[in-house]
Amino acid sequence: HLQFVESGGGLVQPGGSLRLSCATSGSTLGVYAIAWFRQVSGKEREGVSCITSTNRPTDYIDSVKGRFSISRDDAKNTVYLQMNSLKPEDTAIYYCAAGLSCRDVLTILLRPYDGWGQGTRVTVSS
């Protein structure tokens, strides 16, 4: 598995913004679709957004449409998640993972997977 380091989380007020980064070293991102996932304590991990190797973004969940934007910089081996208009329900630990397609990477949730990084914690609270 590609190993990622997630960063950029923090405490933000409702309505605020954060930009998360997902970086890998030692491997090139170029051929992979990269997805962001999140997990709230005590709940199942869910897919948030994904971007293909050809730079086509997709949102896995409706609740982030129009608020979150995923992008990639293959020269930096980094994928970003720009999160705007944050809501308390966006509070979670955010992770990223790679796959051959956005459908493929989502199947990580259906099988044993030991490639998760430490994630980055996002807390939206006043």
Side-chain angles (χ1 to χ4, degrees):
H1 308 296
L2 287 185
Q3 296 296 310
F4 292 101
V5 176
E6 301 91 350
S7 63
L11 172 63
V12 62
Q13 292 187 343
S17 298
L18 284 173
R19 189 177 80 154
L20 307 184
S21 298
C22 165
T24 187
S25 60
S27 300
T28 178
L29 292 180
V31 300
Y32 295 101
I34 310 297
W36 281 96
F37 297 81
R38 67 186 183 187
Q39 187 169 25
V40 177
S41 179
K43 294 188 177 181
E44 296 288 324
R45 201 181 315 247
E46 65 178 353
V48 177
S49 299
C50 180
I51 188 164
T52 69
S53 61
T54 57
N55 231 7
R56 296 178 68 178
T58 188
D59 294 322
Y60 289 133
I61 50 177
D62 289 341
S63 63
V64 304
K65 289 183 186 298
R67 299 189 300 123
F68 289 11
S69 176
I70 189 170
S71 62
R72 63 191 292 157
D73 185 341
D74 287 354
K76 296 182 179 180
N77 280 338
T78 302
V79 173
Y80 304 98
L81 186 67
Q82 178 67 44
M83 306 188 297
N84 299 325
S85 303
L86 282 162
K87 304 176 181 180
E89 51 264 42
D90 296 317
T91 295
I93 300 176
Y94 285 71
Y95 305 86
C96 51
L100 296 178
S101 68
C102 286
R103 178 179 293 183
D104 173 62
V105 70
L106 194 58
T107 65
I108 286 174
L109 298 177
L110 304 176
R111 53 184 168 85
Y113 179 72
D114 61 359
W116 299 112
Q118 292 187 331
T120 186
R121 183 179 297 275
V122 172
T123 303
V124 185
S125 175
S126 55

